[in-house]
Amino acid sequence: MTQAPTDTNVARAAKLDTPTLSDALDKLGIVGQCYKIKPRDPNFRLAGRAWTLKYGPAANPPGTVGDYIDDIAPGSVIVLDNNGREDATVWGDILTEIAHRRGIAGTVINGINRDTHLCLSLGYPVFSIDNWMRTGKDRVQVEATGVPVNIGGARVAPGDILKGDTDGVVVIPKEHEDRVLAVAEEIEAAEQKIRDTTRGGVRLDEARRQFKYHQLQTREAQ
């Protein structure tokens, strides 16, 4: 399998869970939670930078669904915006096999996938609205690649960091990633201190007051 080069901020994001990152995004007033995008297996995890593709309804004659997979860098997250369509797939077993072999970090779809059995057996992370078998061929076509897309109501631009786990997917905009990650790490540290303190016998309300739990997600003044 092809190995991706080390990316410090992607490594930082990989250590955090999506609820913590979601709280950090809320604190900074950034919409980055991808609504209804879920892992096909609750054990799937992904972290990487976005490679984006936007689909539209097929023309007459129809365009292609895309033969892009061999040009994507290892460690990338493939982000496919099919406008939330649930009646036509844009990802299946051939793409899963090649992406897995090439060391792609995972696939996130504003829409659905098929051939779920292979991503499950290979452990290749696919996050989507749902899965169903009907092909997107002659139903959708590539409109553009390398452009900002919409994934579950969140804007994803090329190069943004995506993190996915059991609770879904968040996007961290590239221009804000240092601040988002720093705030998320602060939240994680505070919550760990609360857990440790309560294990020592301190009441939860006291531990929360001590480590300012109720201010952790409060939006910062602009």
Side-chain angles (χ1 to χ4, degrees):
M1 182 185 297
T2 306
Q3 296 296 316
T6 301
D7 183 318
T8 301
N9 278 354
V10 169
R12 291 170 70 191
K15 295 177 182 178
L16 296 160
D17 58 33
T18 58
T20 301
L21 288 164
S22 175
D23 289 348
L25 290 164
D26 280 347
K27 188 175 184 67
L28 296 173
I30 299 168
V31 177
Q33 301 90 348
C34 300
Y35 185 54
K36 290 191 175 181
I37 307 299
K38 299 178 182 179
R40 293 303 95 205
D41 184 315
N43 293 312
F44 282 164
R45 303 286 184 274
L46 66 76
R49 293 193 182 273
W51 182 94
T52 62
L53 185 154
K54 182 174 180 58
Y55 285 105
N60 188 10
T64 177
V65 180
D67 293 317
Y68 52 83
I69 192 70
D70 294 295
D71 299 318
I72 299 175
S76 301
V77 175
I78 298 172
V79 182
L80 306 176
D81 180 4
N82 196 26
N83 303 297
R85 285 187 65 168
E86 298 183 57
D87 64 341
T89 62
V90 292
W91 187 269
D93 57 357
I94 294 175
L95 289 168
T96 291
E97 180 181 336
I98 297 173
H100 177 70
R101 186 168 65 240
R102 287 184 49 77
I104 305 300
T107 299
V108 175
I109 309 168
N110 188 23
I112 63 173
N113 65 282
R114 67 179 186 176
D115 298 314
T116 306
H117 64 94
L118 188 61
C119 71
L120 296 177
S121 64
L122 292 178
Y124 177 79
V126 174
F127 288 69
S128 60
I129 293 174
D130 208 337
N131 54 275
W132 195 44
M133 85 299 293
R134 192 163 77 166
T135 181
K137 186 177 183 296
D138 298 339
R139 295 186 173 96
V140 302
Q141 66 182 42
V142 175
E143 297 289 355
T145 61
V147 297
V149 296
N150 169 31
I151 304 294
R155 182 181 189 272
V156 181
D160 288 349
I161 294 175
L162 286 96
K163 169 62 193 285
D165 60 23
T166 305
D167 288 307
V169 176
V170 295
V171 54
I172 307 170
K174 191 172 184 178
E175 62 269 30
H176 301 297
E177 65 185 48
D178 289 327
R179 184 62 179 141
V180 172
L181 291 168
V183 170
E185 288 162 350
E186 291 169 5
I187 291 172
E188 175 60 26
E191 291 188 342
Q192 186 58 52
K193 289 176 182 176
I194 291 169
R195 288 190 288 267
D196 291 343
T197 300
T198 58
R199 288 166 188 158
V202 175
R203 286 173 54 91
L204 177 58
D205 55 359
E206 174 56 34
R208 283 178 165 172
R209 279 195 297 272
Q210 182 178 346
F211 297 106
K212 300 180 180 179
Y213 174 81
H214 296 294
Q215 286 77 49
L216 293 180
Q217 301 90 356
T218 301
R219 186 169 178 175
E220 293 183 347
Q222 300 299 308

